[in-house]
Every structure is written in structure tokens, then in C-alpha cells.
Amino acid sequence: INGTTGARLDIGLRLFLDIESGANIDRIETLLEPDGHFVFEAVRYDPSFIYRLSTTYKNALYVTIVDVSQNDLETELTVYEPVHDVSVLSVSNASILLLQSDSLGQYIWAFEVLDISNTSNRIFVPDAKPMNLLRFGLPTDAMDLSVETVLIGDVFQVDLGFAIAANVPPGDHQL
């Protein structure tokens, strides 16, 4: 489904079903049909396997886990038209917890949680411009940065902090 109002999907879009069984991952491919449906033939069911549906649409990766436990094998995958303007994003909530301090070494350990909000009906896709990344400032001499998020993308150091080259779909996402 294309979640951007008025937009249509490209017929022939490639979809993948990854079937993870322990250390093995088998991949099956199919194409989107003109009516917007897709079918994966001869899929072996095992309740211990993990089934992931994915596609890349206009340079944005979409992945969802398919719940086959109820034997309901119909699923939807929503994609969006891209937008490269970082102004569609905002921080809707921010919390900082100071965990520990070292007065001798003059260090503090902090834990920060941010809710990143995309209120548009398009997926934010960063482009080649450095200022069009998710960028976050850090104090001078910060160290041991660890970033965890549901957003898929690379984390790297920038001049005064760090950036994430991640696509941000509509909705709220925690960092």
C-alpha cells in the first residue's frame, strides 16, 4: 500500500521474503501485481522460523515481520513517497537521565531518550547534503557514545556531535 495520499505504487516492484531458520536465511522474490497484490509460492512453514517481508521503494528500505503463527498469511506492507526536507521532522519528547558522576575526573554518565516525529505522510530520506541528516550535538570531549534506535541507518561522527543517515517514516520513533 502506498501511504502517501494520492500516490500510486510502481507495478513490478520487487518484494522479498526472508526466511530465517537459525543461522540460515533463504530469500524468495516476487513482483507486485497490477492490482497491488503479491504472492510468494511454496513457502515452507515452521513455527520456529522468522519471516521478514521487505522491499526498497524510491531508495527507502521497508521491512516487516510476518506473523504466520495464526495461519493468516495475508499481510500488508505500507510504503511512502520520499521527502528530503528535514523540516518534516521534530523532537516531540526528550528526556535526560544523569546516571553517575565522577567529580575527580569531571565526568558524568548520561542516558538520553528522544522521540523523533514525522507528521507528514511521506518518508524522510536524507540526501547528499550534510545538513539533511538527523544531526545531534554532543558536549565537547564526549566519549563512549552508544546509539540505539528502531530507525535503520548508519551512525557517524560529525563536527559537533553525531548524525544518523536513516529514513524516517511517518509517526514517532525512539532514539
Side-chain angles (χ1 to χ4, degrees):
I1 297 172
N2 193 323
T4 302
T5 307
R8 296 179 182 244
L9 283 174
D10 297 338
I11 297 170
L13 180 67
R14 293 172 42 185
L15 295 123
F16 302 95
L17 184 65
D18 292 332
I19 304 168
E20 184 177 334
S21 57
N24 280 345
I25 299 178
D26 294 319
R27 176 170 268 198
I28 304 171
E29 180 180 339
T30 193
L31 298 175
L32 186 68
E33 297 173 4
D35 65 358
H37 290 88
F38 55 90
V39 176
F40 292 99
E41 300 287 342
V43 175
R44 191 179 81 152
Y45 171 73
D46 185 313
S48 67
F49 291 178
I50 297 172
Y51 299 84
R52 273 188 303 275
L53 175 64
S54 66
T55 192
T56 299
Y57 181 72
K58 297 190 178 177
N59 295 324
L61 175 65
Y62 297 87
V63 180
T64 189
I65 301 293
V66 180
D67 181 10
V68 295
S69 64
Q70 302 300 316
N71 230 5
D72 179 12
L73 300 181
E74 291 190 18
T75 191
E76 294 178 351
L77 183 62
T78 302
V79 300
Y80 301 92
E81 297 300 310
V83 61
H84 303 290
D85 183 0
V86 75
S87 70
V88 302
L89 304 177
S90 63
V91 174
S92 58
N93 190 29
S95 300
I96 298 176
L97 178 63
L98 300 177
L99 302 172
Q100 181 179 349
S101 66
D102 176 355
S103 59
L104 189 61
Q106 295 187 335
Y107 292 108
I108 60 170
W109 285 259
F111 178 77
E112 184 172 13
V113 178
L114 299 174
D115 290 328
I116 310 295
S117 183
N118 177 349
T119 57
S120 76
N121 67 355
R122 295 177 174 268
I123 188 168
F124 170 76
V125 177
D127 59 17
K129 299 175 189 167
M131 295 311 284
N132 267 6
L133 299 170
L134 296 175
R135 298 170 58 95
F136 303 92
L138 290 173
T140 305
D141 298 328
M143 63 176 105
D144 297 331
L145 174 68
S146 175
V147 178
E148 295 182 24
T149 182
V150 296
L151 299 172
I152 301 169
D154 294 327
V155 177
F156 50 92
Q157 184 176 346
V158 293
D159 185 33
L160 299 173
F162 70 98
I164 303 175
N167 301 326
V168 183
D172 292 326
H173 311 279
Q174 206 165 64
L175 169 74

